[in-house]
Amino acid sequence: MAEMIIKGGNRLFGEVNISGAKNAVLPILGAMAGMRGRAVLYNCPHITDVYVSMEIIRFLGGEISLKEGVAEVLPENIHICSIPEDPGSKMRSSITFCGGLLGRFGKVSFYPPGGCVLGKRPIDLHIKGFKALGAEISEENNMITAKGELKGAEIALGFPSVGATQNIMIAACFAQGTTVIENPSLEPETEELMKYLNICGGDIKKDEGRFIIKGVSELRAKPYSIMSDRIEAGTFMLGAAMTGGKLSLRGIRRDEVGSVCDILMRAGCDIKEDREGVVIKAVERPRAIGEITTGPYPAFPTDLQPQLTAMLSVAAGKSVVRETVFENRDRHIGELIKLGADIKEEGGYFVINGIKALRSGCVVCHDLRGGAAMLMAALAAKGESRLKNAEYIFRGYENIDKKIRDIGGIAEITDKD
Ligand code: UD1
């Protein structure tokens, strides 16, 4: 258990180097289970979720090291087709190891994955995809087994699940014939996975909003540099907006953070792009933005909803945020209210009446992005705040305390385990 102590009230000012994207590197590490050869991944973030993926790769029989943002992966010797409950259940994206194992070895056993507590988070679409590809599914003592030789299929997803699209995409690389995924996730991180799989010998095309995947004989791991984390960048941008600051975000392009830029401009911020990244200059106090709904890409990302809600809690006027992707992504609301925010939940809508300033206090992080929202709120509130369960934040933000100190915030981790 970790606690962060924040002394808030300073404007965030300076430069932040944006790390490699958690949501891009995790499915790529998952896909390694299906690969031969050796990969060097550059721009790999040092975050807890990557450490969990490393544990899984080693458990499966592979080798991996991570030093100064460079991961060396040797998946060649992977031979175990079963993902253990621990560490598998620590992180939902452990499920993306399944597609590669099923494809390469014809069998995978796994436990329903965990991760942040955001409602039910079923895996029916993953299972539906594996079944459509010809795998037989069985369940014993909560362990699910998928086995069989895979054949290409047409798979229409009822919801464009990010993880299910990625898992089916990886498995389909090993299927005989062609697979089409209709209504897939079109998140940039899913396209990044497609790009990487193609570099490794895959044959995947995006065509009119569907993925067409031709089966290949094998995938061979190759060197790659992971894209920058648009959610980390968006979190810092919202932090700048909340504190009236100015930040240069290095290593990200404006089009990668387009939806958050649109919102921040509506809130009155000035946003420019230069050769090295994106620069945000906030106004003294942001304006309310009316109504916004989260959704699959290109809609506003659910992973920035808590941080946006925190920002709007100090904006002048009334805003409404509607969360449509996760049913329980609302646990930060009660924590923001502890700091004085005026937010009401009405049937999936958060109605936010901006107050002039939050007060400091002791709050709890209930999940990764909710924790990031509380961190930004604490930085905006004058005085000392304590963030309990701050370890959630380390799942997705690299060197977060140092990055905050480098831009004028005061943040200490007291109890890092
Ligand atoms: C990924 C991201 C996460 C982000 C989320 C939505 C990674 C590692 N994580 O998570 O940061 O918040 O996308 O953008 O990339 N669902 C089903 N059945 C399924 C699968 C999903 O009903 O089989 C539902 C989920 O319960 C949820 C919604 O679909 O309500 C979105 O889930 P999904 O897109 O699968 O998210 P993840 O891949 O878990």
Side-chain angles (χ1 to χ4, degrees):
M1 300 275 257
E3 185 171 288
M4 272 179 107
I5 299 178
I6 309 294
K7 292 199 179 97
N10 291 352
R11 291 174 198 275
L12 297 182
F13 192 90
E15 286 187 4
V16 185
N17 287 322
I18 299 303
S19 298
K22 165 179 107 57
N23 287 355
V25 74
L26 295 182
I28 285 177
L29 289 174
M32 289 292 165
M35 303 215 184
R36 325 206 55 162
R38 169 180 175 270
V40 180
L41 300 178
Y42 301 95
N43 206 26
C44 182
H46 291 242
I47 52 176
T48 324
D49 276 10
V50 165
Y51 302 149
V52 173
S53 297
M54 291 171 67
E55 258 185 80
I56 296 174
I57 288 176
R58 289 187 187 124
F59 178 89
L60 298 176
E63 289 170 44
I64 180 164
S65 63
L66 173 62
K67 217 173 156 196
E68 290 168 16
V70 182
E72 228 183 296
V73 197
L74 279 160
E76 186 75 34
N77 293 335
I78 285 180
H79 60 284
I80 293 169
C81 303
S82 164
I83 301 165
E85 192 159 19
D86 186 10
S89 295
K90 279 188 196 159
M91 175 182 82
R92 185 171 164 87
S93 73
S94 63
I95 199 169
T96 51
F97 282 91
C98 294
L101 289 174
L102 176 61
R104 180 172 167 194
F105 301 106
K107 184 179 168 200
V108 61
S109 295
F110 60 101
Y111 289 88
C116 288
V117 190
L118 296 172
K120 290 197 291 286
R121 303 193 82 171
I123 54 164
D124 55 311
L125 299 170
H126 299 252
I127 300 291
K128 179 184 158 178
F130 289 164
K131 269 191 186 160
L133 291 174
E136 262 179 50
I137 310 288
S138 57
E139 194 182 339
E140 206 183 325
N141 299 330
N142 201 31
M143 186 192 235
I144 300 168
T145 298
K147 60 176 168 191
E149 266 188 40
L150 305 184
K151 288 209 176 68
E154 291 218 355
I155 301 166
L157 296 177
F159 179 87
S161 155
V162 174
T165 303
Q166 296 172 345
N167 221 355
I168 296 166
M169 181 184 279
I170 299 165
C173 288
F174 299 92
Q176 254 181 38
T178 302
T179 298
V180 180
I181 311 178
E182 302 271 4
N183 194 30
S185 142
L186 297 174
E187 265 66 13
E189 295 79 10
T190 302
E191 292 212 21
E192 178 91 339
L193 175 67
M194 172 183 83
K195 236 165 90 183
Y196 183 62
L197 291 171
N198 282 341
I199 289 173
C200 298
D203 183 350
I204 309 170
K205 286 190 183 62
K206 190 174 115 188
D207 176 54
E208 292 179 8
R210 346 174 265 169
F211 288 111
I212 302 174
I213 305 141
K214 287 194 181 140
V216 293
S217 55
E218 66 167 18
L219 294 175
R220 287 201 84 81
K222 290 275 163 19
Y224 197 66
S225 182
I226 305 292
M227 69 192 288
S228 297
D229 196 317
R230 64 191 171 109
I231 305 299
E232 186 199 17
T235 302
F236 277 106
M237 291 173 87
L238 288 159
M242 284 184 84
T243 59
K246 183 178 175 199
L247 289 180
S248 294
L249 303 151
R250 310 287 81 180
I252 193 98
R253 293 190 319 270
R254 188 188 173 126
D255 63 289
E256 294 176 301
V257 279
S259 58
V260 71
C261 286
D262 292 349
I263 292 289
L264 286 166
M265 283 166 66
R266 260 156 73 185
C269 299
D270 181 46
I271 295 171
K272 292 206 165 49
E273 186 169 24
D274 62 22
R275 262 209 240 145
E276 290 178 60
V278 174
V279 181
I280 172 168
K281 186 168 180 289
V283 278
E284 191 68 30
R285 184 180 177 198
R287 289 194 297 266
I289 49 112
E291 210 172 308
I292 180 108
T293 302
T294 65
Y297 189 84
F300 190 83
T302 174
D303 280 355
L304 284 174
Q305 177 267 107
Q307 305 88 314
L308 174 67
T309 305
M311 188 277 273
L312 295 174
S313 71
V314 294
K318 175 177 159 181
S319 310
V320 178
V321 173
R322 187 171 166 229
E323 170 61 53
T324 69
V325 180
F326 289 111
E327 59 178 14
N328 279 11
R329 196 161 240 179
D330 61 356
R331 298 191 67 193
H332 50 291
I333 303 291
E335 301 302 321
L336 287 169
I337 290 172
K338 284 186 196 164
L339 302 186
D342 177 356
I343 308 176
K344 291 195 180 48
E345 258 190 274
E346 294 173 8
Y349 290 79
F350 311 143
V351 180
I352 306 149
N353 281 301
I355 56 169
K356 275 210 173 121
L358 294 168
R359 55 173 180 262
S360 53
C362 179
V363 289
V364 181
C365 306
H366 294 284
D367 55 65
L368 162 58
R369 304 304 174 184
M374 296 322 299
L375 175 54
M376 293 303 145
L379 285 165
K382 269 207 179 102
E384 184 174 297
S385 290
R386 284 174 181 266
L387 265 60
K388 301 220 173 277
N389 296 357
E391 67 277 2
Y392 275 117
I393 301 173
F394 314 144
R395 288 189 46 196
Y397 293 89
E398 183 176 49
N399 276 335
I400 186 71
D401 51 331
K402 178 170 187 307
K403 284 192 183 186
I404 283 172
R405 288 194 293 274
D406 287 351
I407 52 176
I410 302 174
E412 292 297 335
I413 297 167
T414 58
D415 211 1
K416 202 169 174 181
D417 58 5

